[in-house]
Amino acid sequence: MAGVVVVFDFDKTIIDCDSDNWVIDELGFTELFEELLPTMPWNTLMDRMMNELHANGKTIKDIEESLKTAPIDPNVITMIKAAYALGCDLRVVSDANQFFIETILRHHGLKDYFTEINTNPGYVDAEGRLRIFPYHDFHKSSHGCDLCPPNMCKSKILERIITSASADGKKRFIYLGDGKGDYCPSLHLSESDFVMPRKYYPMWELINSNPHMPKAEVHEWTYGEDQARKLLQLINKVAVNALLSAECKFENIPLSQNAGLTHLALRVPN
């Protein structure tokens, strides 16, 4: 569906774990991480932990190999490919980091299915150490949202996506997430949009504590197969409604103007 934009969180939504915790645990630095966690913001802590990994002989290759083992439901992989083939515009908005997300998506052959990845910057410096920085530099200024962590307000990213994606016509948005940081953007969707919180996770709990707050239609999910089925059902629902609307308009167009209509082909990434 060319008129559908699907926005995914990454951790515990596309993959079935927290990528930060996965790397720290897999490489054996959980104890130090938990010791430092009360002393600094999460994003700052992850940059510090990458320095600790480097200082203790862990390489970028070690980090990449640990990321490649992060769990992802095969149904989610199929879902992403199917949504793309149907013409949906797929985006990521995540409080993980660019290096982790791109490594995992590339490993599963999924990176090219996404129009953009909005996350905390991450790159390998000249010394071979992974550096992680905040999406919003909270040391310089506040993003002004009390609902979100200091380094990222997802609703501000979503607002930009909505504006840019709607420049060539009205779009319908589907937002999938699980965490507390996904609640804020869910409040910025319209009545014609959909929000898909993971059941029993913080986003779902916040929505259920005040179910009248989101304007969007809420569809909860529990695990990968459930997520895939419900997302594709929603895309199909939008497609059927669009076809019915187009049929009404089509009936009012002279036949000669319809001679050039052809079937739409499914997309595959370049």
Side-chain angles (χ1 to χ4, degrees):
M1 275 299 299
V4 176
V5 180
V6 186
V7 181
F8 296 88
D9 177 36
F10 188 74
D11 291 341
K12 300 180 183 177
T13 300
I14 290 180
I15 62 172
D16 200 17
C17 69
D18 181 290
S19 57
D20 290 344
N21 288 134
W22 184 265
V23 169
I24 297 301
D25 294 346
E26 286 293 301
L27 297 183
F29 284 75
T30 307
E31 184 175 347
L32 177 59
F33 179 85
E34 292 180 348
E35 179 184 330
L36 294 174
L37 182 57
T39 69
M40 64 188 78
W42 185 284
N43 184 257
T44 305
L45 174 56
M46 282 306 298
D47 186 56
R48 166 70 182 273
M49 291 306 301
M50 294 305 103
N51 183 56
E52 294 292 337
L53 293 181
H54 181 71
N56 283 274
K58 298 297 182 181
T59 66
I60 294 300
K61 185 69 173 176
D62 293 329
I63 296 172
E64 288 176 332
E65 291 305 311
S66 69
L67 288 166
K68 291 175 183 178
T69 65
I72 181 170
D73 192 308
N75 292 286
V76 172
I77 296 174
T78 301
M79 172 194 73
I80 290 169
K81 293 179 178 180
Y84 182 92
L86 290 168
C88 295
D89 179 355
L90 310 182
R91 318 276 183 121
V92 171
V93 177
S94 169
D95 198 9
N97 69 78
Q98 183 178 356
F99 185 87
F100 285 11
I101 293 174
E102 291 189 354
T103 298
I104 292 172
L105 291 180
R106 192 178 296 113
H107 175 64
H108 293 284
L110 296 174
K111 184 175 179 297
D112 292 340
Y113 288 87
F114 292 91
T115 303
E116 64 174 0
I117 298 170
N118 301 275
T119 188
N120 298 298
Y123 70 90
V124 181
D125 66 16
E127 298 178 0
R129 177 177 68 133
L130 180 59
R131 299 299 313 276
I132 298 173
F133 295 96
Y135 180 88
H136 176 85
D137 189 352
F138 56 88
H139 299 292
K140 294 182 177 179
S141 64
S142 168
H143 53 54
C145 177
D146 294 333
L147 293 175
C148 295
N151 62 296
M152 177 179 288
C153 174
K154 290 188 176 182
S155 68
K156 295 187 181 301
I157 301 173
L158 181 62
E159 286 171 354
R160 177 187 58 75
I161 291 173
I162 291 172
T163 300
S164 63
S166 303
D168 59 348
K170 181 173 175 56
K171 302 293 191 299
R172 299 186 72 176
F173 294 84
I174 305 174
Y175 187 99
L176 298 91
D178 71 284
K180 182 179 178 183
D182 296 307
Y183 177 64
C184 182
S186 76
L187 303 179
H188 290 259
L189 296 167
S190 73
E191 294 87 348
S192 63
D193 300 325
F194 305 93
V195 58
M196 293 182 58
R198 187 168 189 178
K199 194 173 183 179
Y200 305 125
Y201 282 69
M203 180 193 189
W204 178 85
E205 292 172 347
L206 287 166
I207 288 175
N208 276 271
S209 68
N210 198 341
H212 301 295
M213 286 293 289
K215 297 177 183 176
E217 193 173 298
V218 179
H219 294 262
E220 63 189 31
W221 59 279
T222 53
Y223 49 88
E225 183 180 0
D226 188 38
Q227 177 194 161
R229 177 173 52 83
K230 290 181 177 176
L231 175 61
L232 294 176
Q233 284 176 346
L234 287 179
I235 294 170
N236 182 63
K237 177 180 178 180
V238 174
V240 170
N241 289 339
L243 285 172
L244 291 174
S245 176
E247 183 178 330
C248 293
K249 295 177 182 177
F250 183 84
E251 290 175 352
N252 296 318
I253 299 175
L255 182 60
S256 61
Q257 295 183 26
N258 299 321
L261 293 178
T262 60
H263 292 290
L264 294 176
L266 296 182
R267 296 193 303 166
V268 293
N270 295 327

